[in-house]
Amino acid sequence: MKYIIIGILFISTSVFGQEFNFDIHNTLLAEYLKMEESLGSEKIPTTSNHVSFGGNAQPIKYLRKEKVIPDLTTFYFFKKADSTMSYVLYEWDVYNFEKQDNNQKSEKFQKALIAKYKGLKSDISKNFGQPKVKKNYSNISRLDSINTFVESSTWKPNDSTEIEMYATISNYYEKRGASTINPVHRIRLYIRNQAKEKEKEIPKLDENKLTELEKIKTNFFTALKAKDLPKSKEFLSDLILEKVTDEQINILIENINFNKQTELIYSGIQMGLDGSLFTLLQYKYSDDNSSPPNEMIKLIFDDKDKVVGIQPIKMQSKITD
């Protein structure tokens, strides 16, 4: 079964339907897993035991189909105690599927894998600036620098997040006695939560604050239902007022059923990419008894109780591709 996710979000914190989510501080494990479902990924078993000295549970793995290049294997690592995300690994590696010696690949295959790396590098750089780059740093590149592509790129969006990607693409093969150097065709992309435990101590959402935000949400939805755009914008944070358009708000209105009662199913405080704190409220429609709910509404407030993000999430069975 596949899912279609419809979402409108003013500030991008965790958008289902995208291939990747780099906001590891502000994304729940459940949201990452729903993203995989929306992309039609296949959940696969974890066959090897991952040893952790930092309290990580065994990772949850998914497989995404690719064309030409190796299928993508995704690993979600999270804390056993509270499911806080530790890091995400995206891996395109021939060896995951073909475990033989001297497994050389065509020029078309190699060019496609290099293009994938460069495309990802360009897309990530648009959001986080130019990375720190290292080239030709492996033994393989020293042995065959002409026919080998070896590069790593690292971004540090803030003091507690690291994005690292590296590629090794080579047909070099050499056997030296008991030692063998095999061809390598691999890209790995890591998103790491490097916050120290002290920095992870996020204040709890108290009942008074929650009650106040519930009132604001009710008034905000009343303005949206009435299609009163000027009034609706009064609830929005200054961060997004300059960017949001009337068209976006109208699309948002079309994707929320204001005639149904909503029920709060999650509330908590999340950390943004820049270390700032946001309050996250997640709702379902009261008459939706499915698990997980078929429709949800995600609402995010800043520290001034202004809306910085709202995202209707509609999951529908997709019968045909």
Side-chain angles (χ1 to χ4, degrees):
M1 179 178 288
K2 293 184 178 180
Y3 297 93
I4 300 172
I5 309 298
I6 303 171
I8 298 95
L9 194 64
F10 298 140
I11 292 293
S12 180
T13 53
S14 56
V15 183
F16 300 155
Q18 293 182 347
E19 288 187 75
F20 311 102
N21 189 325
F22 297 97
D23 191 358
I24 195 167
H25 293 294
N26 200 37
T27 306
L28 305 173
L29 173 64
E31 292 177 297
Y32 274 116
L33 304 189
K34 286 190 177 75
M35 181 181 74
E36 293 296 338
E37 291 176 355
S38 76
L39 293 167
S41 305
E42 175 191 355
K43 189 175 180 180
I44 56 177
T46 302
T47 54
S48 57
N49 185 43
H50 292 258
V51 178
S52 170
F53 299 101
N56 285 329
Q58 292 301 301
I60 297 175
K61 294 171 60 177
Y62 282 88
L63 190 69
R64 296 188 205 169
K65 294 297 182 181
E66 297 276 6
K67 294 180 179 179
V68 184
I69 65 174
D71 288 342
L72 168 61
T73 306
T74 304
F75 301 76
Y76 291 104
F77 289 85
F78 56 96
K79 297 297 184 184
K80 192 181 299 185
D82 59 5
S83 295
T84 301
M85 295 303 302
S86 298
Y87 67 95
V88 180
L89 167 60
Y90 298 102
E91 183 176 77
W92 298 260
D93 192 345
V94 169
Y95 192 72
N96 287 336
F97 311 99
E98 303 171 17
K99 293 178 169 58
Q100 66 255 35
D101 282 353
N102 199 14
N103 189 10
Q104 296 187 342
K105 293 297 178 183
S106 67
E107 182 180 358
K108 177 184 177 182
F109 183 96
Q110 291 187 305
K111 285 184 175 179
L113 199 54
I114 293 170
K116 181 69 174 182
Y117 170 85
K118 290 183 175 179
L120 285 168
K121 178 182 174 183
S122 175
D123 289 342
I124 299 170
S125 296
K126 288 175 184 176
N127 289 317
F128 303 112
Q130 291 304 307
K132 181 179 180 181
V133 177
K134 289 168 59 179
K135 296 182 179 182
N136 297 327
Y137 57 87
S138 76
N139 289 330
I140 298 174
S141 59
R142 285 193 282 270
L143 291 167
D144 185 12
S145 59
I146 296 175
N147 301 307
T148 297
F149 179 86
V150 176
E151 184 175 302
S152 74
S153 299
T154 305
W155 296 262
K156 296 282 290 185
N158 53 57
D159 292 339
S160 59
T161 306
E162 180 183 75
I163 301 167
E164 180 188 18
M165 180 173 63
Y166 70 83
T168 303
I169 299 156
S170 170
N171 272 332
Y172 186 82
Y173 175 77
E174 183 180 349
K175 193 168 182 64
R176 299 179 183 175
S179 175
T180 301
I181 301 174
N182 268 307
V184 181
H185 296 89
R186 175 192 301 132
I187 299 173
R188 282 180 178 163
L189 169 60
Y190 291 90
I191 305 169
R192 298 188 180 98
N193 179 354
Q194 295 189 321
K196 297 176 183 177
E197 290 302 318
K198 201 168 187 181
E199 294 172 334
K200 286 184 184 177
E201 292 178 2
I202 298 175
K204 292 183 179 180
L205 184 61
D206 62 56
E207 288 299 321
N208 291 335
K209 181 75 167 180
L210 182 57
T211 300
E212 183 62 31
L213 292 178
E214 285 269 23
K215 290 179 182 177
I216 294 171
K217 171 256 182 186
T218 299
N219 294 332
F220 180 39
F221 277 27
T222 298
L224 289 173
K225 181 180 180 180
K227 297 185 178 181
D228 187 341
L229 269 56
K231 182 65 176 178
S232 299
K233 289 179 182 179
E234 291 179 9
F235 295 91
L236 304 182
S237 167
D238 291 339
L239 289 171
I240 59 174
L241 270 175
E242 294 180 0
K243 299 178 181 180
V244 70
T245 65
D246 289 353
E247 182 183 7
Q248 285 177 304
I249 297 177
N250 284 324
I251 293 173
L252 173 67
I253 292 169
E254 291 173 5
N255 282 280
I256 297 178
N257 190 337
F258 297 102
N259 294 320
K260 288 187 176 183
Q261 295 292 320
T262 57
E263 180 180 324
L264 185 67
I265 57 174
Y266 174 83
S267 63
I269 298 178
Q270 305 290 321
M271 182 184 293
L273 272 175
D274 61 356
S276 54
L277 298 178
F278 298 90
T279 303
L280 169 63
L281 304 181
Q282 195 151 306
Y283 298 86
K284 74 177 186 72
Y285 294 114
S286 299
D287 62 353
D288 186 349
N289 296 318
S290 56
S291 181
N294 288 320
E295 298 187 46
M296 292 179 285
I297 303 169
K298 182 176 178 180
L299 198 57
I300 304 171
F301 294 90
D302 63 13
D303 57 357
K304 297 178 181 178
D305 298 344
K306 292 288 188 177
V307 175
V308 293
I310 179 168
Q311 182 183 33
I313 305 165
K314 298 185 179 181
M315 300 199 292
Q316 300 171 341
S317 299
K318 188 179 180 183
I319 300 173
T320 57
D321 289 326

